[in-house]
Amino acid sequence: PMGSERMEMRKRQMSTTQETPGTAQAQHSTGNRGPNACCFCWCCCCSCSCLTVRNQDEERARRTSHELQAEGIPNCEESPAPTLEEVNAWAQSFDKLMLTPAGRNAFREFLRTEFSEENMLFWMACEELKQESNKSVIEEKARLIYEDYISILSPKEVSLDSRVREVINRNMLEPSQHTFDDAQLQIYTLMHRDSYPRFMNSAIYKNLLRSLSEKSIEA
């Protein structure tokens, strides 16, 4: 009996010894799988499908950002450097500021600091539309202006009241050079009343005025 008990104990020990490596291996495998498992699969390799998807998303985001930067902000109008007389005239009225490319460029630089440059871009686009005579070109430019500055889905949407928007929607049924006249006037008035006074007190205007004044004295 004692021998039988010893043999039984030895069998149990051997059985336990044989099971332990497998169990430990399974536990080790399970333990490794948890921390290293990916979001879509239970694999441990770094090149699994979920990482590929994530890398593709990151690449797409970088590409989109690069394309937006490449598109950039439309170039300013070409113009000679303003004279001291011109810059002084800008303080006399908003109309005189908007009359010259140099004035519009300086004002546009200020609007950019206030994140409202779209107002000037919309106004300029409307002015360009008025110069067109070809019907197909007018329709195409009107569509682009609508998508860029009128559509509520556009990040460059300008602030217009509901009455003006209704007028635009009616006009878009048969676009012309004057499709956006009411909207252009409203944005012009907004810039005049809201942004122009701040521009006259801005560092952009004061620094330009001081620089030209100093050059005038030196001359």
Side-chain angles (χ1 to χ4, degrees):
M2 292 294 294
S4 298
E5 290 178 3
R6 283 197 294 269
M7 289 180 65
E8 188 66 25
M9 289 177 62
R10 189 176 300 161
K11 286 180 181 180
R12 285 201 297 267
Q13 289 175 353
M14 290 177 64
S15 176
T16 302
T17 303
Q18 290 174 353
E19 290 176 0
T20 301
T23 304
Q25 183 177 2
Q27 290 175 348
H28 179 71
S29 175
T30 303
N32 284 340
R33 184 177 60 185
N36 295 324
C38 307
C39 51
F40 296 125
C41 56
W42 287 101
C43 66
C44 302
C45 61
C46 61
S47 60
C48 64
S49 61
C50 65
L51 287 179
T52 302
V53 171
R54 186 171 62 189
N55 290 337
Q56 289 175 347
D57 289 342
E58 291 175 353
E59 177 61 26
R60 189 179 301 111
R62 285 195 295 267
R63 185 168 60 249
T64 301
S65 175
H66 177 74
E67 289 171 354
L68 288 175
Q69 292 175 0
E71 179 182 354
I73 299 173
N75 293 329
C76 291
E77 298 176 81
E78 293 184 2
S79 69
T83 65
L84 178 60
E85 290 73 20
E86 286 177 327
V87 175
N88 279 320
W90 298 349
Q92 297 173 13
S93 72
F94 184 60
D95 291 340
K96 290 186 177 181
L97 169 69
M98 293 289 284
L99 192 61
T100 64
R104 292 192 293 271
N105 284 339
F107 186 52
R108 181 177 164 186
E109 181 183 353
F110 168 74
L111 292 178
R112 193 176 302 162
T113 66
E114 294 200 334
F115 304 101
S116 59
E117 186 185 14
E118 66 273 4
N119 290 331
M120 176 64 81
L121 295 177
F122 170 68
W123 185 88
M124 293 170 62
C126 292
E127 287 295 294
E128 183 179 333
L129 178 64
K130 290 178 181 178
Q131 308 304 316
E132 294 293 343
S133 57
N134 184 286
K135 188 175 185 298
S136 61
V137 174
I138 290 173
E139 290 177 350
E140 177 64 14
K141 286 191 174 183
R143 182 184 63 81
L144 292 175
I145 291 174
Y146 188 94
E147 291 178 354
D148 285 345
Y149 305 108
I150 309 301
S151 172
I152 60 174
L153 301 177
S154 173
K156 296 186 293 184
E157 178 194 6
V158 296
S159 179
L160 300 171
D161 61 37
S162 58
R163 180 193 66 82
V164 171
R165 286 184 175 277
E166 290 177 2
V167 171
I168 292 174
N169 289 334
R170 288 198 301 269
N171 290 343
M172 285 299 293
L173 297 176
E174 192 173 346
S176 72
Q177 300 100 314
H178 305 288
T179 293
F180 304 100
D181 281 4
D182 287 354
Q184 185 186 21
L185 177 59
Q186 190 168 96
I187 293 302
Y188 188 91
T189 302
L190 175 66
M191 292 191 294
H192 183 189
R193 293 178 178 176
D194 186 57
S195 303
Y196 173 64
R198 290 197 298 275
F199 169 70
M200 297 311 303
N201 290 314
S202 69
I204 291 176
Y205 177 75
K206 290 180 178 180
N207 290 341
L208 178 60
L209 184 62
R210 181 173 61 252
S211 175
L212 291 173
S213 296
E214 291 173 353
K215 290 181 180 179
S216 177
I217 294 173
E218 292 174 358

